Amino acid sequence: MARPDPALLDTARYPFSCQIEPRFGDLDMNMHINNVAMAGMLEDARVRLFRQAGGHRHLPGLSTMVASIAIEYLGETHYPDTVTVLGAVERIGRTSQEIIQVVTQQGKPVVFARTVVVMVGPEGPAPLTPGYLEAAAPWMLRP
């Protein structure tokens, strides 16, 4: 993935945010938060966003599956400074949605991620419900 459009790094465009405290065990040998730990932080924030958007209420009996994820590391992240993960729904399809996230540390963007999440039921991909589509609208990327 190429570096993101600078407009996608504008934190005011993201309706969701949460703070995550790195752990000492998240560090690599260079004393930066390692890539696997960052992917876990992004995952945790995506689940929090999905819950805020009503996924657990409007899509009962379905689960999510990551179909695609791209993570762009824009800078170094350090322990013990808290990271803020911002998120938004960028696009919604019939059975999937595209979530974008920006991670900041000390106000500076350090990670950009784009994830395609598919809803899955017993028979495979499952459509997003009208209730979820309505509940997710406030969580779309702002202009």
Side-chain angles (χ1 to χ4, degrees):
M1 176 164 83
R3 289 186 71 83
D5 178 343
L8 293 176
L9 301 179
D10 178 359
T11 58
R13 298 185 68 194
Y14 292 81
F16 172 84
S17 74
C18 66
Q19 294 192 337
I20 297 177
E21 300 268 339
R23 302 166 305 166
F24 182 78
D26 293 336
L27 299 179
D28 62 19
M29 60 190 283
N30 296 314
M31 302 307 286
H32 304 125
I33 297 173
N34 74 53
N35 294 358
V36 173
M38 183 56 68
M41 291 177 191
L42 290 163
E43 175 185 53
D44 183 66
R46 268 194 321 276
V47 171
R48 292 179 194 209
L49 170 58
F50 182 71
R51 289 183 62 79
Q52 285 285 318
H56 64 294
R57 288 188 314 275
H58 296 289
L59 299 164
L62 300 179
S63 59
T64 59
M65 179 187 331
V66 172
S68 172
I69 185 168
I71 302 172
E72 184 71 27
Y73 296 92
L74 309 172
E76 298 173 351
T77 51
H78 302 277
Y79 174 86
D81 298 335
T82 300
V83 297
T84 300
V85 184
L86 301 115
V89 178
E90 187 177 33
R91 290 187 188 91
I92 294 182
R94 189 179 74 78
T95 63
S96 66
Q97 56 189 320
E98 194 167 303
I99 308 296
I100 57 174
Q101 296 170 287
V102 173
V103 178
T104 64
Q105 192 173 52
Q106 296 184 349
K108 178 182 173 191
V110 291
V111 172
F112 176 81
R114 180 174 275 127
T115 308
V116 176
V117 178
V118 178
M119 296 312 302
V120 180
E123 304 298 319
L128 297 167
T129 64
Y132 178 73
L133 296 175
E134 183 179 330
W139 303 101
M140 297 293 293
L141 183 67
R142 296 174 182 146

